[in-house]
Amino acid sequence: MKYSKSIQNHIKRVEGQVRGVSKMIIDGDSDTKIMTQLQASISSLESLKTELVKRQMKETILESVKNTLGVE
């Protein structure tokens, strides 16, 4: 399955955020800063999940319409 550039970029941003959390922990940053960055990472993952669910719904609806119309 091919994913859009938008989704590919989104996962790269999430990876960067998680790497940032790792660096913050290694550097001994404050718990407050780390938790803030963790929350941003979680929010980004949730947003990505939402995009993937929307994509799946569109594909399912399109397939259903094609089947109903007898289109291959």
Side-chain angles (χ1 to χ4, degrees), residues 14 17 35 37-48:
V14 170
Q17 287 174 316
M35 286 187 286
Q37 188 60 35
L38 277 174
Q39 187 56 52
S41 300
I42 291 166
S43 294
S44 289
L45 282 170
E46 286 291 336
S47 174
L48 177 58

Side-chain angles (χ1 to χ4, degrees), residues 3-4 10 15-16 20 22 24 26 31-32 35 46-48 52 54 56-58 63 65 67 71-72:
Y3 292 94
S4 70
H10 201 126
E15 287 174 334
S22 177
M24 292 170 81
I26 291 167
D31 288 345
T32 302
M35 286 187 286
E46 286 291 336
S47 174
L48 177 58
L52 292 174
K54 283 197 262 185
Q56 182 63 41
M57 288 175 64
K58 286 178 187 177
E63 188 65 31
V65 169
N67 288 338
V71 177
E72 293 289 322

